[in-house]
Amino acid sequence: MTNPSFELDQDHLDLRDWVHTFAADVVRPAASEWDEREEFPWPVLEEAAKIGLYSLDFFATQSFDKTGLGIPVAMEELFWGDAGIGLSIVGTALAAAGLSSNGTPEQVGEWAPQMFGSPGDLKLAAFCSSEPDAGSDVGAMRTRAVYDEATDEWVLNGTKTWATNGGLADIHVITAVVDPELRTRGQASFVVPPGTKGLAQGQKFTKHGIRASHTAEVVLDNCRVPGRCLLGGKDRLDTKLAKAREGGRGGGQPSMATFERTRPAVGAQAIGIARAAYEIALDYAKTREQFGKPIIENQAIAFTLADMATSIEASRLLVWRAAWMASQGKAFTQAEGSMSKLFAGETAVRVTERAMQILGGNGYTREYPVERMARDAKIYTIFEGTSEIQRLVIARSISGAPIR
Ligand SMILES: Cc1cc2nc3c(=O)[nH]c(=O)nc-3n(C[C@H](O)[C@H](O)[C@H](O)COP(=O)(O)OP(=O)(O)OC[C@H]3O[C@@H](n4cnc5c(N)ncnc54)[C@H](O)[C@@H]3O)c2cc1C
């Protein structure tokens, strides 16, 4: 592998400082309130839109950063502020990634601006792949999309679950089965435009962490969308299905294309949470005295902090490498994207738990933010592919063996 330089240039340093200032001044002070309210933090999103952080322009510019580091740098700082609010700000970007991974340039041009809206007129988007019986196993997906040739419309039926921004969103990107016999290769994704009849929010979930972020079921009941809402277009789908029926590879599963692109960014979010908890624990250990000295002077505490710092640095290197490889068009031959998400997610869980331990009784209360950070961190071993699924992807990549 060519040796990448991970020295941030001035543009990245400016980006880091800009997002950090917003995270410190606006996001962190609001974190506890929105966690307790367990509601979507609209006023914070409005502030993010006003400075251009919640905007198509921001995500598009950073996604095309030639080093790949723009998104991970920004994610780490934002999620250092708070993960629940952070996810409310970037949830739309997951749907935008679903659109740009599978849509034509014309479709991206039409729908992407409508996903974000503008200050004073905010819009949201949701990416809906998971179903009650199809989480890790996307091949078990049941939501059906049937083409109605007479009207040139697709008719969607099924129930999606765990959708970030689901039902609240103006635009939903829905993955559905067009040919059940082809399993994952018989799936396609669709845009459901604002106000489309037949799409409704189901249950809204109350959660352990990231409680400001909205997570809900999305029910599709004879939901009709125009033919142009099939991402990639009908000709491309027909060619893909024909190849798959002949036994060829026939293109990938649409959700997987999205997750491949987003895994390093998700890893960077986990690093932001871990770093926030680590910094609080380090400060606390230097000032909290027991047995007549700061607790950091005990090796048990100091070594714990040393391990926390080391795993955060290692996570960042894995995430930046994967993001850099993606920006250079290099294939993830050893599942480097999955490695980065796996390691960063598990680091966030371990580091936030250790931070609570270092804060003792205070760490267990809601007076201190590490308790919230520990609850938030846990999702990073579950969504965008569980830790077990990341290990499955890595194990298959390094071995070539059909590991189940
Ligand atoms: C807060 C939140 C937000 C989310 N946002 C979105 C979203 O915006 N859009 C979306 O589409 N989805 C979203 N998800 C869904 C998320 O991606 C799934 O929860 C995740 O993929 C796991 O699926 P599952 O919950 O059905 O668990 P299951 O697949 O049922 O897994 C249960 C357990 O079994 C393990 N397991 C399963 N298969 C294997 C195997 N082959 N080998 C070893 N272990 C295995 C899993 O690792 C896990 O530990 C979200 C979930 C949550 C909780």
Side-chain angles (χ1 to χ4, degrees):
M1 183 177 92
T2 317
N3 215 3
S5 162
F6 288 143
E7 199 174 354
L8 296 182
D9 63 20
Q10 195 54 49
D11 285 349
H12 289 123
L13 292 172
D14 292 346
L15 169 70
R16 186 188 66 187
D17 293 348
W18 177 65
V19 180
H20 187 82
T21 301
F22 182 75
D25 294 352
V26 181
V27 176
R28 183 75 71 86
S32 172
E33 178 192 341
W34 292 99
D35 174 56
E36 290 296 335
R37 286 173 65 160
E38 207 156 357
E39 286 171 12
F40 191 88
W42 285 107
V44 187
L45 196 75
E46 189 64 48
E47 294 302 312
K50 275 187 200 154
I51 66 160
L53 180 58
Y54 183 72
S55 70
L56 174 60
D57 185 47
F58 172 76
F59 285 101
T61 306
Q62 295 310 327
S63 299
F64 289 109
D65 172 32
K66 61 185 184 315
T67 66
L69 300 188
I71 289 284
V73 164
M75 291 297 137
E76 181 177 333
E77 296 313 314
L78 183 60
F79 282 69
W80 172 93
D82 180 59
I85 293 175
L87 204 63
S88 304
I89 296 173
V90 308
T92 292
L94 174 63
L99 170 68
S100 62
S101 321
N102 299 295
T104 62
E106 294 71 31
Q107 288 173 321
V108 175
E110 177 175 3
W111 302 112
Q114 297 188 48
M115 290 181 159
F116 290 88
S118 53
D121 184 25
L122 298 179
K123 307 290 181 203
L124 293 178
F127 180 72
C128 311
S129 172
S130 303
E131 297 182 2
D133 293 323
S136 302
D137 181 9
V138 286
M141 192 178 287
R142 286 201 205 138
T143 295
R144 278 302 309 266
V146 176
Y147 187 56
D148 181 348
E149 208 155 356
T151 57
D152 181 30
E153 287 175 321
W154 286 91
V155 187
L156 305 174
N157 277 292
T159 299
K160 294 293 178 180
T161 194
W162 306 122
T164 300
N165 296 345
L168 208 57
D170 299 273
I171 291 191
H172 292 77
V173 175
I174 306 277
T175 312
V177 178
V178 289
D179 185 336
E181 283 179 13
L182 298 175
R183 296 265 303 167
T184 53
R185 289 184 294 165
Q187 297 174 0
S189 37
F190 301 83
V191 161
V192 178
T196 305
K197 281 193 196 134
L199 183 149
Q201 183 183 308
Q203 179 190 359
K204 179 193 168 186
F205 296 102
T206 51
K207 304 193 296 294
H208 176 66
I210 54 163
R211 298 199 302 174
S213 170
H214 172 97
T215 316
E217 286 179 337
V218 172
V219 180
L220 299 148
D221 181 12
N222 282 324
C223 177
R224 288 181 163 263
V225 297
R228 67 190 166 81
C229 292
L230 164 67
L231 293 181
K234 186 101 174 34
D235 289 347
R236 200 162 91 190
L237 175 67
D238 288 342
T239 309
K240 175 180 124 160
L241 296 179
K243 270 194 197 153
R245 284 184 197 115
E246 284 161 14
R249 287 194 57 78
Q253 195 277 345
S255 304
M256 290 304 109
T258 307
F259 290 141
E260 276 304 311
R261 284 177 68 123
T262 53
R263 267 174 195 155
V266 173
Q269 297 168 7
I271 297 169
I273 305 171
R275 198 184 99 214
Y278 157 75
E279 287 174 3
I280 291 165
L282 179 62
D283 282 350
Y284 192 89
K286 285 180 185 168
T287 52
R288 170 70 176 168
E289 292 193 1
Q290 285 294 275
F291 301 99
K293 60 180 183 184
I295 58 169
I296 199 167
E297 290 183 22
N298 301 291
Q299 260 192 15
I301 299 291
F303 280 16
T304 301
L305 285 157
D307 286 345
M308 290 158 77
T310 304
S311 54
I312 290 168
E313 294 296 317
S315 299
R316 190 181 295 113
L317 286 174
L318 282 173
V319 162
W320 284 13
R321 179 183 69 160
W324 172 80
M325 289 177 74
S327 75
Q328 307 301 307
K330 291 184 184 293
F332 287 158
T333 53
Q334 296 192 87
E336 287 87 346
S338 291
M339 282 183 179
S340 71
K341 194 267 178 182
L342 169 66
F343 197 78
E346 300 214 330
T347 291
V349 170
R350 205 166 42 246
V351 165
T352 52
E353 190 276 333
R354 288 289 87 192
M356 282 175 73
Q357 187 67 20
I358 289 171
L359 267 69
N362 283 329
Y364 198 63
T365 70
R366 296 204 176 172
E367 300 298 310
Y368 285 78
V370 292
E371 177 270 346
R372 184 183 69 248
M373 291 166 184
R375 285 187 285 109
D376 292 346
K378 186 57 195 159
I379 192 62
Y380 286 84
T381 66
I382 297 174
F383 71 3
E384 295 251 344
T386 65
S387 284
E388 290 76 17
I389 294 303
Q390 308 300 344
R391 287 192 172 90
L392 198 64
V393 174
I394 297 164
R396 284 177 184 159
S397 273
I398 60 173
S399 68
I403 298 160
R404 297 268 155 244

